[in-house]
Amino acid sequence: LVNPASDGTVYTWNFGDGGTTNGATVTHTYTAPGRYVITMNAMTFANYYEAENAQLSGGVAVASDNPGYSGVGYADFPGGTGTNVYVRWTLTNQTAGSVNLQFRYACMGNARPLNLKVNGGATNFINFAGTNAWTTYMTVTYSNVTLVAGTNTIELQATAGSAGPNIDALII
């Protein structure tokens, strides 16, 4: 691509042989000669918050070794759990209202649940299902979340019994 991904742009590739991947720059090797139709979709989100720009705590660190993420990396949860192991976004709204929160993530193997806390309120369980590979990204949605006018905090905590998945972004 001439113009690489900017924050909030997600690229999805289909190589015509059953192979798919995400990312602005990708590679693919065909197992058989032939003609293949290659498609690439680019989606840009208006309210897209990269996890690597959020507050990270308790060993959660920015990583970039599993391609397919947007931005410059993703939040990689450590093996431990606890209320101090989290990704926290702080954002400002002009008006109060109800929104759907969508989290873009990758998760190899079994599901890795996290707890969601909005503005320090009640804890809400979110199950991040396995995506079959650390390079396969999906989204999970938590609906009807009330945000206030002014400053809001949205936090994913590793307090639901497991370490978290790789969190790429929050989409509102």
Side-chain angles (χ1 to χ4, degrees):
L1 294 174
V2 175
N3 298 314
S6 60
D7 287 349
T9 303
V10 176
Y11 296 90
T12 304
W13 296 80
N14 182 323
F15 297 101
D17 64 348
T20 61
T21 193
N22 296 312
T25 304
V26 300
T27 60
H28 180 75
T29 303
Y30 290 94
T31 58
R35 291 181 176 214
Y36 300 95
V37 175
I38 300 170
T39 58
M40 187 274 296
N41 291 315
M43 293 182 291
T44 303
F45 298 92
N47 294 313
Y48 198 92
Y49 303 93
E50 296 288 347
E52 65 269 21
N53 297 329
Q55 180 183 354
L56 308 177
S57 177
V60 179
V62 175
S64 60
D65 53 329
N66 294 315
Y69 53 84
S70 60
V72 298
Y74 53 86
D76 186 10
F77 275 82
T81 62
T83 57
N84 67 328
V85 182
Y86 62 78
V87 176
R88 179 187 296 152
W89 292 269
T90 301
L91 42 117
T92 304
N93 272 8
Q94 296 296 321
T95 59
S98 179
V99 299
N100 294 330
L101 302 178
Q102 199 172 51
F103 299 96
R104 187 169 190 269
Y105 73 99
C107 181
M108 177 72 175
N110 295 330
R112 295 186 179 207
L114 293 173
N115 282 320
L116 169 68
K117 289 189 85 161
V118 177
N119 295 326
T123 300
N124 302 284
F125 179 87
I126 298 181
N127 191 41
F128 290 84
T131 62
N132 298 321
W134 288 115
T135 55
T136 302
Y137 288 80
M138 293 178 34
T139 58
V140 63
T141 302
Y142 195 84
S143 300
N144 301 317
V145 175
T146 300
L147 298 180
V148 299
T151 302
N152 292 272
T153 59
I154 299 167
E155 184 174 302
L156 290 174
Q157 293 181 344
T159 55
S162 75
N166 293 343
I167 301 293
D168 185 40
L170 162 65
I171 306 162
I172 301 177

